[in-house]
Amino acid sequence: MKDKVAEWAEELQSLAQAGLFYGKDEFDRERYQRIREIAAEMMAHRTGMPLELVKGLFCNETGYQTPKVDTRAAVFQDGKLLLVQERGGLWSLPGGWCEFNLSPAENTVKEAKEEAGADVAVKRLIAVQDRNKHNQPPYAYGVVKIFYLCELLGGSFTPNLETEQIGYFSLKDLPPLAEAKCSREQVQMCFQAYQAENWPVLFD
């Protein structure tokens, strides 16, 4: 269950961000800025994250606050799922933040190539999820996660700044997952979508 104080901090930050963008009065803008700072302090206190890190994640946008978009590629070979090992040692589906000039599907192809060296084609939409309903710990901002089933066309892996190695895994033989990005439940969902003849897209 989501922390109520964190929810209040998120709402205060959203209201303050909108006020800073649309407000014209100098004194009102000062008040909105202070509300934004208090929201960041609340979130830092509640999560134990350093205040400057929270400000960087939580207070770095302008305009009306909207969720970020994260895309993930589910790529199978011989019934096993492609995972990438991140520099911290944990594993996840290849993916990341959606670039402003790419569609979600295009971004998925790009991330699979960058992180796994895999040339893929997007074949099917698996799910569109509110990250904070499916991954822990909750983030201080909204994220929409989009999962695509992809076909492997070719490619080869080279270690890079983000990932150390790749591997193909069965559901019963998964490595330690980066749960904040890709939970076991989400991996299982990808296996189910791969095995299904007619997959109903999941959402929320």
Side-chain angles (χ1 to χ4, degrees), residues 124-141:
R124 187 188 304 172
L125 178 61
I126 298 173
V128 180
Q129 294 183 336
D130 178 339
R131 183 214 168 272
N132 282 348
K133 291 184 178 181
H134 297 273
N135 299 85
Q136 293 294 328
Y139 282 174
Y141 48 89

Side-chain angles (χ1 to χ4, degrees), residues 176-197:
L177 296 174
E179 294 278 344
K181 298 179 181 179
C182 177
S183 69
R184 185 179 181 86
E185 173 195 15
Q186 288 164 332
V187 168
Q188 185 174 7
M189 172 186 70
C190 292
F191 272 94
Q192 292 170 342
Y194 170 69
Q195 294 163 354
E197 289 187 13

Side-chain angles (χ1 to χ4, degrees), residues 162-189:
E162 295 185 83
T163 53
E164 297 180 352
Q165 61 177 320
I166 66 170
Y168 286 87
F169 300 89
S170 66
L171 187 57
K172 65 181 181 181
D173 191 32
L174 294 176
L177 296 174
E179 294 278 344
K181 298 179 181 179
C182 177
S183 69
R184 185 179 181 86
E185 173 195 15
Q186 288 164 332
V187 168
Q188 185 174 7
M189 172 186 70

Side-chain angles (χ1 to χ4, degrees), residues 26-44:
E26 177 182 348
F27 297 105
D28 283 345
R29 289 177 57 81
E30 286 183 2
R31 295 183 186 100
Y32 286 129
Q33 182 60 42
R34 181 55 191 145
I35 291 171
R36 195 179 208 189
E37 291 171 357
I38 292 171
E41 291 165 9
M42 289 171 64
M43 188 64 74

Side-chain angles (χ1 to χ4, degrees), residues 12-202:
L12 285 172
Q13 142 60 21
S14 178
L15 292 171
Q17 182 171 311
L20 285 168
F21 185 73
Y22 294 110
K24 304 301 181 185
D25 183 85
E26 177 182 348
F27 297 105
D28 283 345
R29 289 177 57 81
E30 286 183 2
R31 295 183 186 100
Y32 286 129
Q33 182 60 42
R34 181 55 191 145
I35 291 171
R36 195 179 208 189
E37 291 171 357
I38 292 171
E41 291 165 9
M42 289 171 64
M43 188 64 74
H45 177 76
R46 204 63 173 177
T47 63
M49 295 170 62
L51 179 58
E52 289 308 311
L53 178 59
V54 171
K55 285 183 177 180
L57 295 171
F58 196 38
C59 305
N60 65 343
E61 296 184 1
T62 60
Y64 189 80
Q65 187 169 13
T66 59
K68 297 178 181 292
V69 177
D70 173 273
T71 67
R72 297 286 154 177
V75 184
F76 287 86
Q77 188 174 52
D78 299 325
K80 294 184 177 182
L81 178 63
L82 172 65
L83 297 176
V84 295
Q85 186 179 32
E86 301 175 343
R87 286 293 173 181
L90 298 177
W91 296 74
S92 70
L93 294 169
W97 298 128
C98 193
E99 300 288 346
F100 77 95
N101 59 345
L102 297 177
S103 73
E106 290 169 340
N107 194 75
T108 305
V109 172
K110 177 189 77 74
E111 290 288 337
K113 184 64 174 178
E114 288 181 353
E115 294 192 353
D119 298 314
V120 305
V122 172
K123 292 299 181 180
R124 187 188 304 172
L125 178 61
I126 298 173
V128 180
Q129 294 183 336
D130 178 339
R131 183 214 168 272
N132 282 348
K133 291 184 178 181
H134 297 273
N135 299 85
Q136 293 294 328
Y139 282 174
Y141 48 89
V143 177
V144 173
K145 295 182 72 70
I146 304 177
F147 295 83
Y148 289 103
L149 186 64
C150 300
E151 178 185 354
L152 180 65
L153 304 176
S156 60
F157 175 74
T158 301
N160 54 77
L161 293 175
E162 295 185 83
T163 53
E164 297 180 352
Q165 61 177 320
I166 66 170
Y168 286 87
F169 300 89
S170 66
L171 187 57
K172 65 181 181 181
D173 191 32
L174 294 176
L177 296 174
E179 294 278 344
K181 298 179 181 179
C182 177
S183 69
R184 185 179 181 86
E185 173 195 15
Q186 288 164 332
V187 168
Q188 185 174 7
M189 172 186 70
C190 292
F191 272 94
Q192 292 170 342
Y194 170 69
Q195 294 163 354
E197 289 187 13
N198 296 295
W199 175 255
V201 175
L202 303 182

